[in-house]
Coordinates of all heavy atoms in Angstrom, one line a residue:
M1 N 252.2 180.4 120.1 CA 251.0 180.0 120.8 C 250.7 178.5 120.6 O 250.9 178.0 119.6 CB 249.8 180.8 120.3 CG 248.5 180.4 120.7 SD 247.1 181.4 120.0 CE 245.7 180.5 120.5
T2 N 250.3 177.9 121.7 CA 249.9 176.5 121.5 C 248.4 176.4 121.6 O 247.7 177.2 122.1 CB 250.5 175.6 122.6 OG1 250.1 176.2 123.9 CG2 252.0 175.5 122.5
V3 N 247.9 175.4 120.9 CA 246.4 175.2 120.8 C 246.0 174.0 121.6 O 246.7 173.0 121.5 CB 246.1 175.0 119.3 CG1 244.6 174.8 119.1 CG2 246.5 176.2 118.5
S4 N 244.9 174.1 122.3 CA 244.4 172.9 123.0 C 243.8 172.0 122.1 O 243.0 172.4 121.2 CB 243.4 173.4 124.1 OG 244.0 174.3 125.0
P5 N 244.1 170.7 122.2 CA 243.5 169.7 121.3 C 242.0 169.5 121.7 O 241.7 169.6 122.9 CB 244.3 168.5 121.5 CG 244.9 168.6 122.8 CD 245.1 170.1 123.1
P6 N 241.2 169.1 120.7 CA 239.9 168.7 121.0 C 239.8 167.5 122.0 O 240.7 166.7 122.0 CB 239.2 168.4 119.7 CG 240.1 168.9 118.7 CD 241.5 168.9 119.3
T7 N 238.8 167.4 122.8 CA 238.6 166.3 123.7 C 237.4 165.5 123.3 O 236.8 165.8 122.2 CB 238.5 166.8 125.1 OG1 237.3 167.5 125.2 CG2 239.7 167.6 125.5
R8 N 237.0 164.5 124.1 CA 235.8 163.8 123.8 C 234.6 164.6 123.7 O 233.7 164.3 122.9 CB 235.6 162.7 124.8 CG 236.6 161.5 124.8 CD 236.4 160.6 126.0 NE 235.0 160.1 126.0 CZ 234.6 159.0 125.4 NH1 235.5 158.3 124.7 NH2 233.4 158.6 125.6
G9 N 234.6 165.7 124.5 CA 233.3 166.5 124.5 C 233.4 167.8 123.8 O 232.4 168.5 123.7
T10 N 234.5 168.1 123.1 CA 234.7 169.3 122.4 C 235.2 169.1 121.1 O 235.8 168.1 120.8 CB 235.6 170.3 123.2 OG1 236.9 169.7 123.4 CG2 235.0 170.7 124.6
R11 N 235.0 170.1 120.2 CA 235.7 170.1 118.9 C 236.1 171.5 118.6 O 235.8 172.5 119.3 CB 234.7 169.7 117.9 CG 233.5 170.6 117.7 CD 232.7 170.2 116.4 NE 231.5 171.1 116.3 CZ 231.5 172.3 115.7 NH1 232.7 172.7 115.2 NH2 230.5 173.0 115.5
W12 N 237.0 171.6 117.6 CA 237.4 173.0 117.2 C 236.4 173.7 116.3 O 235.7 173.1 115.6 CB 238.7 172.8 116.3 CG 239.9 172.6 117.1 CD1 240.2 173.1 118.4 CD2 241.1 172.0 116.7 NE1 241.5 172.8 118.7 CE2 242.1 172.1 117.7 CE3 241.5 171.3 115.6 CZ2 243.3 171.5 117.7 CZ3 242.7 170.7 115.5 CH2 243.7 170.8 116.5
R13 N 236.4 175.0 116.5 CA 235.5 175.8 115.7 C 236.4 177.0 115.2 O 237.2 177.6 116.0 CB 234.3 176.3 116.4 CG 233.3 177.1 115.5 CD 232.0 177.4 116.3 NE 232.2 178.4 117.2 CZ 231.9 179.7 117.0 NH1 231.4 180.1 115.9 NH2 232.1 180.6 117.9
R14 N 236.2 177.4 114.0 CA 237.0 178.5 113.4 C 236.3 179.8 114.0 O 235.1 179.9 113.9 CB 236.9 178.5 111.9 CG 237.6 177.3 111.3 CD 239.1 177.5 111.1 NE 239.3 178.7 110.4 CZ 239.8 179.8 110.9 NH1 240.1 179.9 112.1 NH2 239.9 180.9 110.1
T15 N 237.2 180.7 114.5 CA 236.6 181.9 115.0 C 236.5 183.0 114.0 O 235.7 183.9 114.1 CB 237.5 182.5 116.2 OG1 238.8 182.6 115.7 CG2 237.5 181.5 117.4
L16 N 237.2 182.8 112.8 CA 237.1 183.9 111.8 C 236.1 183.5 110.7 O 235.1 184.1 110.5 CB 238.5 184.1 111.2 CG 239.4 184.9 112.0 CD1 240.7 185.2 111.3 CD2 238.8 186.2 112.5
C17 N 236.3 182.4 110.0 CA 235.5 182.0 108.9 C 234.4 181.1 109.3 O 233.5 180.8 108.5 CB 236.3 181.5 107.7 SG 237.2 180.0 108.0
G18 N 234.3 180.6 110.5 CA 233.2 179.8 111.0 C 233.2 178.4 110.4 O 234.0 178.0 109.6
G19 N 232.2 177.7 110.7 CA 231.9 176.4 110.2 C 232.9 175.4 110.7 O 233.7 175.6 111.6
L20 N 232.9 174.2 110.0 CA 233.8 173.1 110.4 C 235.2 173.4 109.9 O 235.4 173.8 108.8 CB 233.3 171.8 109.9 CG 231.9 171.3 110.5 CD1 231.5 170.1 109.8 CD2 232.1 171.1 112.0
P21 N 236.2 173.3 110.8 CA 237.5 173.6 110.4 C 238.2 172.6 109.5 O 238.0 171.4 109.6 CB 238.3 173.7 111.7 CG 237.5 172.9 112.7 CD 236.1 172.8 112.2
R22 N 238.9 173.1 108.5 CA 239.9 172.3 107.8 C 241.2 173.0 108.2 O 241.5 174.1 107.8 CB 239.7 172.4 106.3 CG 238.3 172.0 105.8 CD 238.2 170.5 105.8 NE 236.9 170.0 105.2 CZ 235.8 169.9 105.8 NH1 235.7 170.2 107.1 NH2 234.7 169.6 105.2
L23 N 242.0 172.2 108.9 CA 243.2 172.8 109.5 C 244.5 172.1 109.1 O 244.5 170.9 108.9 CB 243.1 172.8 111.0 CG 241.9 173.6 111.6 CD1 241.8 173.2 113.1 CD2 242.1 175.1 111.4
D24 N 245.5 172.8 108.9 CA 246.9 172.3 108.8 C 247.5 172.4 110.2 O 247.8 173.5 110.6 CB 247.7 173.0 107.7 CG 247.1 172.9 106.4 OD1 246.8 171.8 106.0 OD2 247.0 173.9 105.7
V25 N 247.6 171.3 110.8 CA 248.0 171.2 112.2 C 249.5 170.9 112.3 O 249.9 169.9 111.7 CB 247.2 170.2 113.0 CG1 247.7 170.1 114.5 CG2 245.7 170.6 113.0
T26 N 250.3 171.7 113.0 CA 251.7 171.4 113.2 C 251.8 170.9 114.7 O 251.4 171.5 115.6 CB 252.6 172.7 113.1 OG1 252.4 173.2 111.8 CG2 254.0 172.3 113.3
R27 N 252.3 169.6 114.8 CA 252.2 168.9 116.0 C 253.6 168.4 116.3 O 254.3 167.9 115.4 CB 251.2 167.7 115.8 CG 250.9 166.9 117.0 CD 250.2 165.7 116.5 NE 249.0 165.9 115.8 CZ 247.7 165.9 116.3 NH1 247.6 165.7 117.6 NH2 246.7 166.1 115.5
S28 N 254.0 168.6 117.5 CA 255.3 168.0 117.9 C 255.0 166.9 119.0 O 254.3 167.2 119.9 CB 256.3 169.0 118.4 OG 255.8 169.7 119.6
S29 N 255.7 165.8 118.8 CA 255.5 164.7 119.8 C 256.8 164.3 120.5 O 257.8 164.4 119.9 CB 254.9 163.5 119.0 OG 253.7 163.8 118.4
T30 N 256.7 164.0 121.7 CA 257.8 163.4 122.4 C 257.6 161.9 122.4 O 256.5 161.4 122.9 CB 257.9 163.9 123.8 OG1 257.9 165.3 123.8 CG2 259.1 163.3 124.5
V31 N 258.5 161.2 121.8 CA 258.3 159.7 121.5 C 259.5 159.0 122.1 O 260.6 159.4 122.0 CB 258.2 159.4 120.0 CG1 258.0 157.9 119.8 CG2 257.1 160.2 119.4
V32 N 259.2 157.9 122.9 CA 260.2 157.0 123.3 C 260.2 155.8 122.4 O 259.2 155.2 122.1 CB 259.9 156.5 124.8 CG1 260.9 155.5 125.2 CG2 259.9 157.7 125.7
E33 N 261.4 155.6 121.8 CA 261.5 154.5 120.9 C 262.4 153.4 121.5 O 263.5 153.7 122.1 CB 262.1 155.0 119.5 CG 261.2 155.8 118.7 CD 261.9 156.2 117.4 OE1 263.1 156.2 117.3 OE2 261.1 156.6 116.5
Y34 N 262.1 152.2 121.2 CA 262.9 151.1 121.6 C 263.8 150.8 120.4 O 263.3 150.3 119.3 CB 262.1 149.9 122.0 CG 262.9 148.6 122.2 CD1 264.0 148.6 123.0 CD2 262.6 147.4 121.5 CE1 264.7 147.4 123.2 CE2 263.3 146.3 121.6 CZ 264.4 146.3 122.5 OH 265.1 145.1 122.6
V35 N 265.1 151.1 120.5 CA 266.0 150.9 119.4 C 267.0 149.8 119.7 O 267.6 149.8 120.8 CB 266.8 152.2 119.1 CG1 267.8 152.0 117.9 CG2 265.9 153.4 118.8
H36 N 267.1 148.8 118.8 CA 268.0 147.8 119.0 C 268.8 147.6 117.7 O 268.5 148.2 116.7 CB 267.4 146.5 119.4 CG 266.3 146.0 118.5 ND1 266.4 145.0 117.7 CD2 265.0 146.5 118.4 CE1 265.2 144.8 117.0 NE2 264.4 145.8 117.4
H37 N 269.9 146.9 117.8 CA 270.8 146.7 116.6 C 270.9 145.3 116.3 O 271.0 144.4 117.2 CB 272.2 147.3 117.0 CG 272.2 148.8 117.2 ND1 271.7 149.4 118.4 CD2 272.6 149.8 116.4 CE1 271.8 150.7 118.3 NE2 272.3 151.0 117.1
D38 N 270.9 145.0 115.0 CA 271.1 143.6 114.5 C 272.6 143.3 114.5 O 273.4 144.2 114.9 CB 270.4 143.4 113.2 CG 271.0 144.2 112.1 OD1 272.1 144.7 112.2 OD2 270.4 144.3 111.0
L39 N 272.9 142.1 114.1 CA 274.3 141.7 114.2 C 275.2 142.5 113.3 O 276.4 142.6 113.5 CB 274.4 140.2 113.8 CG 273.8 139.2 114.8 CD1 273.8 137.8 114.3 CD2 274.5 139.4 116.1
A40 N 274.7 143.1 112.2 CA 275.5 143.9 111.3 C 275.6 145.3 111.8 O 276.3 146.2 111.2 CB 274.8 144.0 109.9
G41 N 275.0 145.6 113.0 CA 275.1 147.0 113.6 C 274.0 147.9 113.0 O 274.1 149.1 113.3
E42 N 273.1 147.4 112.3 CA 272.0 148.3 111.8 C 271.0 148.6 112.9 O 270.5 147.6 113.5 CB 271.3 147.6 110.6 CG 272.1 147.6 109.3 CD 272.4 149.0 108.8 OE1 271.4 149.8 108.8 OE2 273.5 149.2 108.3
P43 N 270.7 149.8 113.1 CA 269.7 150.1 114.1 C 268.3 149.7 113.6 O 268.0 150.0 112.5 CB 269.8 151.6 114.3 CG 270.4 152.1 113.1 CD 271.3 151.0 112.5
R44 N 267.5 149.2 114.5 CA 266.1 148.9 114.2 C 265.3 149.5 115.3 O 265.6 149.5 116.5 CB 265.9 147.3 114.3 CG 266.9 146.5 113.4 CD 266.3 146.2 112.1 NE 267.2 145.4 111.3 CZ 267.4 145.6 110.0 NH1 266.8 146.5 109.4 NH2 268.2 144.8 109.3
T45 N 264.2 150.1 114.8 CA 263.3 150.7 115.8 C 262.1 149.8 116.0 O 261.5 149.3 115.1 CB 262.8 152.0 115.2 OG1 263.9 152.9 115.0 CG2 261.9 152.7 116.2
G46 N 261.9 149.5 117.3 CA 260.8 148.6 117.7 C 259.6 149.4 118.1 O 259.1 150.3 117.4
E47 N 259.2 149.2 119.4 CA 258.0 149.9 119.8 C 258.2 151.4 119.9 O 259.3 151.9 120.2 CB 257.6 149.4 121.2 CG 257.4 147.9 121.3 CD 257.6 147.4 122.7 OE1 257.3 148.2 123.7 OE2 258.1 146.3 122.9
R48 N 257.2 152.1 119.7 CA 257.2 153.6 119.9 C 256.1 153.9 120.8 O 255.0 153.5 120.6 CB 257.0 154.3 118.5 CG 258.0 153.9 117.4 CD 257.6 154.6 116.1 NE 258.2 155.9 116.0 CZ 257.5 157.0 115.8 NH1 256.2 157.0 115.8 NH2 258.1 158.2 115.7
E49 N 256.4 154.8 121.8 CA 255.4 155.2 122.7 C 255.4 156.7 122.7 O 256.4 157.3 123.0 CB 255.7 154.6 124.1 CG 254.6 155.0 125.1 CD 255.0 154.7 126.6 OE1 256.1 154.2 126.8 OE2 254.2 155.0 127.5
V50 N 254.2 157.3 122.5 CA 254.1 158.8 122.5 C 253.8 159.1 124.0 O 252.9 158.8 124.6 CB 252.9 159.2 121.6 CG1 252.8 160.7 121.7 CG2 253.2 158.8 120.2
V51 N 254.8 159.9 124.5 CA 254.7 160.3 125.9 C 254.2 161.7 126.1 O 253.9 162.2 127.2 CB 256.0 160.0 126.7 CG1 256.3 158.5 126.7 CG2 257.1 160.8 126.1
G52 N 254.2 162.5 125.0 CA 253.8 163.9 125.1 C 253.5 164.4 123.7 O 254.1 164.0 122.8
E53 N 252.6 165.3 123.7 CA 252.2 165.8 122.4 C 251.8 167.3 122.5 O 251.0 167.6 123.4 CB 251.0 165.0 121.8 CG 250.9 165.2 120.3 CD 250.1 164.0 119.7 OE1 248.9 164.0 120.0 OE2 250.6 163.2 118.9
T54 N 252.3 168.1 121.7 CA 252.0 169.6 121.7 C 251.5 170.0 120.3 O 252.2 169.7 119.4 CB 253.2 170.4 122.2 OG1 253.6 169.9 123.4 CG2 252.8 171.9 122.3
I55 N 250.4 170.7 120.3 CA 250.0 171.3 119.0 C 250.6 172.7 118.9 O 250.3 173.6 119.7 CB 248.5 171.3 118.9 CG1 248.0 169.9 118.9 CG2 248.1 172.0 117.6 CD1 246.5 169.7 118.8
E56 N 251.6 172.8 118.0 CA 252.3 174.1 117.8 C 251.4 175.2 117.2 O 251.4 176.3 117.6 CB 253.6 173.9 117.0 CG 254.5 172.8 117.5 CD 255.3 173.2 118.7 OE1 255.3 174.4 119.1 OE2 255.9 172.3 119.3
S57 N 250.7 174.8 116.2 CA 249.9 175.8 115.5 C 248.8 175.0 114.7 O 249.0 173.9 114.4 CB 250.6 176.7 114.6 OG 251.1 176.0 113.4
A58 N 247.7 175.7 114.5 CA 246.6 175.2 113.6 C 246.3 176.3 112.6 O 245.8 177.3 113.0 CB 245.4 174.8 114.5
R59 N 246.6 176.0 111.4 CA 246.3 177.0 110.3 C 245.1 176.6 109.5 O 245.1 175.5 109.0 CB 247.6 177.2 109.5 CG 247.5 178.4 108.5 CD 248.7 178.4 107.6 NE 248.7 177.4 106.6 CZ 249.8 176.6 106.4 NH1 250.9 176.7 107.0 NH2 249.7 175.6 105.5
C60 N 244.2 177.6 109.3 CA 243.0 177.3 108.5 C 243.5 177.0 107.1 O 244.2 177.7 106.5 CB 242.1 178.5 108.5 SG 240.6 178.3 107.5
H61 N 242.9 175.9 106.6 CA 243.3 175.5 105.2 C 242.7 176.4 104.2 O 243.2 176.5 103.1 CB 242.8 174.1 105.0 CG 243.4 173.3 103.8 ND1 244.7 172.8 104.0 CD2 243.1 173.1 102.6 CE1 245.0 172.2 102.8 NE2 244.1 172.4 101.9
W62 N 241.6 177.1 104.5 CA 241.0 178.0 103.5 C 241.5 179.4 103.6 O 241.8 180.0 102.5 CB 239.5 178.0 103.8 CG 238.8 176.6 103.8 CD1 238.1 176.1 104.7 CD2 238.9 175.7 102.7 NE1 237.7 174.8 104.4 CE2 238.2 174.5 103.1 CE3 239.5 175.6 101.5 CZ2 238.1 173.4 102.4 CZ3 239.4 174.5 100.7 CH2 238.7 173.4 101.1
C63 N 241.6 180.0 104.7 CA 241.9 181.4 104.8 C 243.3 181.7 105.4 O 243.8 182.8 105.5 CB 240.9 182.3 105.5 SG 240.8 182.0 107.3
N64 N 244.0 180.6 105.7 CA 245.4 180.7 106.2 C 245.6 181.4 107.5 O 246.7 181.7 107.9 CB 246.3 181.3 105.2 CG 246.8 180.3 104.1 OD1 247.0 179.2 104.4 ND2 247.0 180.8 102.9
A65 N 244.5 181.7 108.2 CA 244.6 182.3 109.5 C 245.2 181.3 110.5 O 244.8 180.1 110.4 CB 243.3 182.9 110.0
V66 N 246.1 181.7 111.4 CA 246.7 180.8 112.3 C 246.1 180.9 113.7 O 245.9 182.0 114.2 CB 248.2 181.1 112.3 CG1 248.9 180.2 113.3 CG2 248.8 180.9 110.9
D67 N 245.9 179.8 114.2 CA 245.4 179.7 115.6 C 244.2 180.5 115.9 O 243.9 180.9 117.1 CB 246.6 180.2 116.6 CG 247.8 179.4 116.5 OD1 247.7 178.2 116.0 OD2 248.9 179.8 116.9
E68 N 243.3 180.6 114.9 CA 242.0 181.3 115.2 C 241.0 180.2 115.4 O 239.9 180.2 114.8 CB 241.7 182.2 114.0 CG 242.6 183.3 113.8 CD 242.6 184.4 114.9 OE1 241.6 184.4 115.6 OE2 243.5 185.1 115.0
V69 N 241.3 179.3 116.3 CA 240.3 178.3 116.6 C 240.0 178.3 118.1 O 240.8 178.8 118.9 CB 240.9 176.8 116.3 CG1 241.1 176.7 114.8 CG2 242.2 176.6 117.0
E70 N 238.8 177.9 118.4 CA 238.4 177.8 119.8 C 237.7 176.5 120.0 O 237.3 175.8 119.0 CB 237.4 178.9 120.1 CG 236.1 178.9 119.3 CD 235.2 180.0 119.7 OE1 235.6 180.9 120.5 OE2 234.1 180.0 119.2
L71 N 237.6 176.0 121.2 CA 237.0 174.8 121.5 C 235.5 175.0 121.9 O 235.2 175.9 122.7 CB 237.7 174.1 122.7 CG 239.1 173.5 122.4 CD1 239.7 173.0 123.7 CD2 238.9 172.3 121.4
V72 N 234.7 174.3 121.2 CA 233.2 174.4 121.5 C 232.7 173.0 121.9 O 233.4 172.0 121.5 CB 232.4 175.0 120.4 CG1 232.8 176.5 120.1 CG2 232.6 174.2 119.1
D73 N 231.6 172.9 122.6 CA 231.1 171.6 122.9 C 230.6 170.9 121.6 O 230.1 171.6 120.7 CB 229.9 171.8 123.8 CG 230.3 172.2 125.2 OD1 231.5 172.0 125.6 OD2 229.4 172.7 125.9
R74 N 230.8 169.6 121.6 CA 230.3 168.9 120.4 C 228.8 168.8 120.6 O 228.3 168.8 121.7 CB 230.9 167.5 120.4 CG 232.3 167.4 120.1 CD 232.8 166.0 119.9 NE 234.2 165.9 119.9 CZ 234.9 164.8 119.6 NH1 234.3 163.7 119.2 NH2 236.2 164.8 119.7
P75 N 228.1 168.7 119.4 CA 226.7 168.5 119.6 C 226.5 167.1 120.2 O 227.2 166.1 119.9 CB 226.2 168.5 118.1 CG 227.4 168.4 117.3 CD 228.6 168.9 118.1
A76 N 225.6 167.0 121.1 CA 225.3 165.8 121.8 C 224.7 164.8 120.8 O 223.7 165.0 120.2 CB 224.3 166.0 122.9
A77 N 225.4 163.7 120.5 CA 225.0 162.8 119.5 C 224.0 161.8 120.1 O 224.2 161.1 121.1 CB 226.2 162.0 119.0
G78 N 222.8 161.8 119.4 CA 221.8 160.8 119.7 C 221.2 160.9 121.1 O 220.6 160.0 121.6
S79 N 221.2 162.1 121.6 CA 220.6 162.3 123.0 C 219.2 162.9 122.8 O 218.9 163.5 121.8 CB 221.4 163.1 123.9 OG 221.5 164.4 123.4
Ligands
LIG101 ZN1 239.5 180.2 107.8

């Protein structure tokens, strides 16, 4: 199962133990790296650009339940 990441207007909420989540998030990224080689043939990594990101799982740090998170609206700050 993949988990939707929070956005500007939403945050994660634990569906089992409630409250603010403390999560161990497993994330896989697709990264384009600019690799070049110096005169000795040693590879050097230059710029890195993240072109895709998937959250594989989110495990509750307290109760170890996996993927029991849902997205809820963030409280409107200062409105
Ligand atoms: Zn929990």
Side-chain angles (χ1 to χ4, degrees):
M1 170 179 169
T2 55
V3 179
S4 299
T7 63
R8 286 174 57 88
T10 58
R11 64 170 179 84
W12 277 331
R13 187 171 74 98
R14 298 273 307 107
T15 54
L16 286 185
C17 62
L20 293 175
R22 301 285 188 274
L23 298 168
D24 296 313
V25 176
T26 303
R27 185 191 304 264
S28 64
S29 302
T30 304
V31 179
V32 177
E33 291 182 336
Y34 170 55
V35 180
H36 53 106
H37 295 76
D38 65 16
L39 289 177
E42 287 295 318
R44 307 265 183 221
T45 302
E47 301 155 38
R48 307 174 85 241
E49 182 190 1
V50 178
V51 295
E53 199 162 67
T54 303
I55 296 176
E56 306 283 350
S57 71
R59 189 183 71 228
C60 179
H61 199 79
W62 303 126
C63 69
N64 276 329
V66 176
D67 296 342
E68 298 291 341
V69 291
E70 63 182 4
L71 287 174
V72 294
D73 289 339
R74 290 189 197 191
S79 65

